[in-house]
Amino acid sequence: MPAEPAARPTIYDVAQRAGVSKSLVSLVLRDAPHVSEARRRAVHEAIEELGYRPSRAASALASQRTRSVGVLIDDFRNPWFVELLAGLRSVLDPAGYTSSVADLTLEAVSGRNPVDGFLAMHVDGLVVAGEPQPGLLRGLAVPTVVAGVRDVGPGLAADVVAGDDERGGELATRHLLDLGHARIAHLTGSGGPAARRRRGYERTMRAAGLEPLVTGAGGTAEDDGYAAALAALDAAPGLTAFVAGNDVMAVGALAALREHGLSVPHDVSVVGYDDSPLAAYRYLALTSVAGHSHEVGAESATTLLARLGDPEAPRRRQLLEPSLVVRGSTAPP
Amino acid sequence: MPAEPAARPTIYDVAQRAGVSKSLVSLVLRDAPHVSEARRRAVHEAIEELGYRPSRAASALASQRTRSVGVLIDDFRNPWFVELLAGLRSVLDPAGYTSSVADLTLEAVSGRNPVDGFLAMHVDGLVVAGEPQPGLLRGLAVPTVVAGVRDVGPGLAADVVAGDDERGGELATRHLLDLGHARIAHLTGSGGPAARRRRGYERTMRAAGLEPLVTGAGGTAEDDGYAAALAALDAAPGLTAFVAGNDVMAVGALAALREHGLSVPHDVSVVGYDDSPLAAYRYLALTSVAGHSHEVGAESATTLLARLGDPEAPRRRQLLEPSLVVRGSTAPP
DNA sequence: TTGAAAGCGCTAACAG
DNA sequence: CTGTTAGCGCTTTCAA
């Protein structure tokens, strides 16, 4: 029974070439402990020579685990996710895990449930970056970590890694206060992180003996920032500063200010949130609160791996301290 | 032999519940033609009742195809890809294909070869969105379509779907010409599409009896646009308009102009390229050439599916006509 | 330590 | 049209 020489090599070919059994090859691949050094090397050599690549499908089928994790991104349009993803992969990749990414907004358009998609792929775990629609994750059986949002409703047994949004709101506000501003408005969006950022703002304002002014309620996109800024300008014409719910909203606010003939930071200061690539563009140069998404990503991955290893461990919840990146959009009043 | 009631249902359970054979279930799943309506319905009901989900791993292993395609994105930071991806999925999803996305820039940092990753996953096909590094795809055995770049080196037997970049450069330039501009510079980047856009610009300028001025040579990021604009301003102080290689570069140019005390569009007009979400921000309001990435994506997917169906078909190369989206960054000089 | 053997859940001929 | 029969390539007891 001569073998076909052209086909993709299998574990069987490797075994034969190395003069060992199939199972030994499997052990070597999984880095098993009790294998003699000589045979281990022989196997590795055979793998090299044959250009062997294990079949994920076969291994998934046999082991009932895919070594893959699904990553749910809120919206690809908000570049916030880029660093998060990089952090995630910086620990998932070396651990031999594959990650597949889906965009909630995109999926919503096509009417599919992205979680279903991941479940069909049999991902071993899930990372939800951003705020899941209520119900989307209810009763999920697969290990999940929520990254970037600290309030996950009850009924979702997930680990959490997030920035301290309330602290971030405080940082932004205090920066403005320290600069000498007093008439500071906040542009908020919907969702948990937005609510916390707002709370940080409000708390800091009150502590300074100032009355908070919050506008916005819809989404967290550029439009929403624009509309909220307009509303704030309308409600309090003497404003000298904005704390925006995120960078994209801040860009919307910039447009509203320009329409009112107000210049930034000369007349009005603006602080964004997320320290996304947007904030770093020279033309925008937004002072922004950095949530350290890279670290959030890395920590999320570590947490997920830990849970995969021990499903019974107590839930973890980690908060990362944000910091302020000062650029050109803020100045004394 | 009583079955375990708790385990995930298999095709076998479905068959039993529907009173048919395993193979019939398989046929129904694949939408095979010669199945009686009654049995088809019976199977679907059983699937519904059991909450059955086919195992991709098993199916991949048995059929030697994963029904998945790998999508290589140039850089997640350039939001150009969002629509492309949406278009891609609008045809891949209904066809039952899964798509996994990787970012070349991200992978480059981690030192991994993303193509290798996809090959290990045994994707059935590849979509390369943007310009592949030379050599990255050389001698690739898996069906590939390159989206967005029309020049793929020899040695890569790929289908191509791209916007007509030369025509786009022409559109942008002609728009400026029609507005009455004459001193128009072009900010170019590296790579094939950039070269074609530049050629379109140059051709149009010359046809109008004007001397082209091109600056920039590094990358295509915001920095590069900034630097190129500065160089152009330096070389020709009387400039009244820029055609930028893409939207991100245009934003860089905006910063350079502001530094020179020049206002847009009052003193200088700016045209971007890609019509990315960036261009639509009110604060930027960039006139931009739309490459119709959604369509490019959809067409790429269709092309890939066709090739998967017939590997021997002649190579296809499609060029989509770009169009101009006029916003607030251009005006008469 | 190493080898043999029994599947994982599904597809794909091939017979009925 | 429907049922039977082999595997796909790998993991994983269980013996040797």
Side-chain angles (χ1 to χ4, degrees):
Chain A
M1 67 208 90
E4 299 287 330
R8 232 166 63 80
T10 75
I11 198 174
Y12 191 83
D13 301 314
V14 175
Q16 200 162 278
R17 190 111 166 70
V20 302
S21 77
K22 279 191 280 194
S23 9
L24 208 248
V25 175
S26 183
L27 288 181
V28 171
L29 283 174
R30 321 198 93 254
D31 247 355
H34 303 298
V35 179
S36 73
E37 194 47 45
R39 291 184 187 261
R40 181 187 300 280
R41 205 166 35 236
V43 169
H44 276 130
E45 270 167 22
I47 287 177
E48 195 68 28
E49 290 162 13
L50 261 32
Y52 166 78
R53 292 157 152 306
S55 150
R56 286 191 105 81
S59 122
L61 184 56
S63 67
Q64 301 292 57
R65 35 187 300 185
T66 54
R67 294 198 161 261
S68 69
V69 341
V71 182
L72 251 34
I73 303 289
D74 219 55
D75 181 359
F76 275 160
R77 254 158 286 241
N78 185 336
W80 167 76
F81 78 94
V82 178
E83 279 305 307
L84 192 279
L85 203 55
L88 219 37
R89 304 209 32 180
S90 74
V91 0
L92 253 22
D93 285 358
Y97 279 79
T98 294
S99 28
S100 14
V101 187
D103 171 353
L104 283 173
T105 309
L106 221 59
E107 310 277 340
V109 169
S110 71
R112 317 178 88 210
N113 181 336
V115 175
D116 272 8
F118 282 144
L119 292 184
M121 295 177 68
H122 284 259
V123 295
D124 293 341
L126 230 42
V127 174
V128 182
E131 188 150 36
Q133 294 98 310
L136 182 65
L137 304 175
R138 196 175 312 296
L140 211 53
V142 52
T144 299
V145 10
V146 175
V149 180
R150 67 198 277 193
D151 313 285
V152 299
L156 174 59
D159 295 300
V160 169
V161 179
D164 187 338
D165 288 304
E166 199 158 336
R167 179 90 179 94
E170 183 187 328
L171 277 179
T173 312
R174 184 168 307 286
H175 169 63
L176 261 8
L177 253 19
D178 288 349
L179 246 24
H181 291 273
R183 302 177 66 80
I184 307 170
H186 178 59
L187 313 176
T188 192
S190 52
R196 288 197 174 269
R197 290 169 191 185
R198 189 194 66 219
R199 221 167 305 154
Y201 156 81
E202 288 170 342
R203 182 155 48 78
T204 312
M205 288 293 277
R206 295 221 168 82
L210 265 17
E211 191 57 32
L213 168 62
V214 178
T215 57
T220 54
E222 190 249 353
D223 288 48
D224 305 304
Y226 173 74
L230 247 28
L233 254 12
D234 207 49
L239 283 175
T240 65
F242 281 131
V243 174
N246 65 29
D247 287 341
V248 177
M249 292 183 77
V251 177
L254 255 25
L257 288 168
R258 188 177 51 193
E259 276 185 20
H260 274 244
L262 266 14
S263 90
V264 175
H266 183 70
D267 301 317
V268 177
S269 287
V270 175
V271 182
Y273 206 117
D274 288 341
D275 191 30
S276 64
L278 225 46
Y281 286 154
R282 282 179 186 72
Y283 190 63
L284 304 176
L286 289 172
T287 293
S288 186
V289 179
H292 303 298
S293 6
H294 190 101
E295 274 178 75
V296 172
E299 200 47 60
S300 299
T302 306
T303 303
L304 183 59
L305 258 21
R307 166 126 344 264
L308 256 22
D310 178 6
E312 304 307 330
R315 306 261 157 262
R316 278 206 226 161
R317 148 177 305 234
Q318 289 160 87
L319 282 193
L320 274 62
E321 183 75 1
S323 59
L324 188 76
V325 179
V326 178
R327 295 201 180 82
S329 66
T330 50
Chain B
M1 66 209 90
E4 300 286 329
R8 231 166 64 80
T10 75
I11 198 175
Y12 191 83
D13 301 316
V14 175
Q16 200 162 278
R17 190 114 166 68
V20 300
S21 77
K22 277 191 282 192
S23 10
L24 209 248
V25 175
S26 185
L27 287 182
V28 170
L29 284 174
R30 320 197 94 252
D31 245 358
H34 304 297
V35 179
S36 75
E37 194 46 47
R39 290 184 188 261
R40 183 187 299 280
R41 206 168 34 240
V43 170
H44 276 131
E45 270 168 22
I47 287 177
E48 195 68 29
E49 290 162 14
L50 261 31
Y52 166 78
R53 293 154 151 308
S55 151
R56 289 191 103 81
S59 132
L61 184 55
S63 68
Q64 299 292 58
R65 33 187 300 184
T66 52
R67 294 199 160 261
S68 69
V69 341
V71 183
L72 251 35
I73 302 290
D74 219 55
D75 181 359
F76 276 160
R77 255 158 285 239
N78 184 337
W80 167 76
F81 79 93
V82 178
E83 280 305 308
L84 192 278
L85 203 56
L88 220 38
R89 305 209 32 179
S90 73
V91 0
L92 253 21
D93 285 358
Y97 279 78
T98 294
S99 29
S100 15
V101 187
D103 171 352
L104 283 173
T105 309
L106 221 59
E107 311 277 340
V109 169
S110 70
R112 316 179 88 210
N113 181 338
V115 175
D116 271 8
F118 282 144
L119 293 184
M121 295 176 69
H122 283 258
V123 295
D124 293 342
L126 230 43
V127 175
V128 183
E131 188 149 36
Q133 294 97 310
L136 182 66
L137 303 174
R138 196 175 310 296
L140 211 53
V142 52
T144 298
V145 8
V146 175
V149 180
R150 68 198 277 195
D151 313 285
V152 300
L156 175 59
D159 295 300
V160 169
V161 179
D164 187 339
D165 289 304
E166 200 159 337
R167 178 90 179 94
E170 183 188 328
L171 277 178
T173 311
R174 185 167 305 286
H175 168 63
L176 260 9
L177 253 18
D178 288 349
L179 246 24
H181 291 272
R183 302 178 64 81
I184 308 169
H186 178 59
L187 313 176
T188 192
S190 53
R196 289 196 172 270
R197 291 170 191 183
R198 191 194 65 218
R199 221 166 304 154
Y201 155 81
E202 288 171 343
R203 182 154 47 78
T204 311
M205 288 293 276
R206 294 221 169 85
L210 265 18
E211 192 56 32
L213 169 62
V214 178
T215 57
T220 55
E222 191 250 351
D223 287 48
D224 305 304
Y226 173 74
L230 248 28
L233 255 12
D234 208 49
L239 282 176
T240 64
F242 280 131
V243 173
N246 66 27
D247 287 342
V248 177
M249 292 183 78
V251 177
L254 256 25
L257 288 168
R258 188 178 51 195
E259 277 185 19
H260 275 244
L262 265 14
S263 90
V264 175
H266 183 69
D267 302 317
V268 177
S269 288
V270 175
V271 183
Y273 206 117
D274 288 342
D275 191 30
S276 65
L278 225 46
Y281 287 154
R282 281 179 186 72
Y283 190 63
L284 303 176
L286 288 173
T287 294
S288 186
V289 178
H292 303 299
S293 6
H294 190 99
E295 275 178 73
V296 171
E299 200 48 59
S300 299
T302 306
T303 303
L304 183 59
L305 256 24
R307 166 130 340 269
L308 256 24
D310 178 7
E312 303 308 330
R315 307 261 157 263
R316 279 207 226 160
R317 151 178 301 236
Q318 289 161 88
L319 282 193
L320 274 64
E321 184 75 1
S323 59
L324 188 77
V325 180
V326 178
R327 297 201 179 81
S329 67
T330 49

